[in-house]
Amino acid sequence: LGVVEALRRELAGGLGAGFDEVAWDVASGAEEYARALPALVSDVMFSAAREAVRNAAEHGRGPKNNDHTRELEGSRRLCLNVAMALRDGLEITVTDDGVGISPDAFSDQGHGLGFYTILLAVLGGSMTVESGAGGSTVVLWIPGHAPSRSRPSHARPVSPALRCVLERLQGVALTPLRA
């Protein structure tokens, strides 16, 4: 599976129930490009995008700390937009029109956005988060990669130590995109 198809399946399943509307904006060629990414890179992009979507679904309507806010959160509409584009690599943008992301989203507890920021950085990519009263935007970016079956002669291999760390992380925290 590619990143787009895997995210679509997640949203068609239980994760999509957190939104009133989900829109997709996938640029021409982006889905094919994503399918050709090396498996580890694809797995990290999918897992990071899923975490951004999960955070939007869970927190986009506001805090759940008392009965009054629980009543209010049910009345607030929450829409999600997932965009994918080619910008010197692959960029996935997850935008919601909720209440914004709390600073707690980057705490060191669990495998939240902070964890995926680190994983993307290890792979040469990045995650940026913009948040305010009108919603949140999480942008995931990974630089251009050769298709998984070939590598240009100038590409540098991943060091054995880094590969070991990433494989261990993959086994613990990432969901492989296998069919």
Side-chain angles (χ1 to χ4, degrees):
L1 290 177
V3 174
V4 174
E5 183 60 30
L7 279 173
R8 283 189 173 141
R9 285 185 181 188
E10 288 282 324
L11 283 161
L15 195 54
F19 303 98
D20 297 298
E21 182 180 330
V22 176
W24 292 88
D25 181 13
V26 180
S28 177
E31 191 166 357
E32 294 78 17
Y33 181 90
R35 271 194 219 106
L37 289 172
L40 181 61
V41 174
S42 183
D43 292 349
V44 169
M45 287 296 279
F46 165 73
S47 296
R50 183 185 58 198
E51 180 66 13
V53 170
R54 190 195 62 74
N55 277 350
E58 185 174 332
H59 305 293
R61 294 184 201 267
K64 300 178 181 181
N65 55 3
N66 64 45
D67 290 335
H68 178 67
T69 56
R70 282 191 196 114
E71 290 173 21
L72 290 176
E73 77 182 21
S75 64
R76 178 176 180 47
R77 281 186 52 78
L78 183 61
C79 300
L80 180 77
N81 185 71
V82 180
M84 183 181 283
L86 297 175
R87 292 193 173 86
D88 294 326
L90 180 65
E91 181 180 271
I92 299 174
T93 305
V94 177
T95 306
D96 70 77
D97 63 352
V99 298
I101 294 177
S102 161
D104 294 337
F106 290 97
S107 73
D108 58 356
Q109 300 174 11
H111 298 290
L113 295 175
F115 174 75
Y116 291 107
T117 299
I118 293 167
L119 279 182
L120 285 164
V122 166
L123 295 173
S126 65
M127 176 189 292
T128 58
V129 178
E130 293 181 16
S131 185
S136 301
T137 299
V138 177
V139 179
L140 314 169
W141 177 80
I142 197 78
H145 284 81
S148 57
R149 304 270 188 275
S150 65
R151 181 194 302 163
S153 60
H154 64 277
R156 291 179 30 202
V158 175
S159 75
L162 178 56
R163 179 172 301 284
C164 178
V165 168
L166 291 174
E167 286 173 354
R168 285 179 186 230
L169 287 173
Q170 182 179 16
V172 171
L174 303 179
T175 302
L177 301 177
R178 308 299 177 248

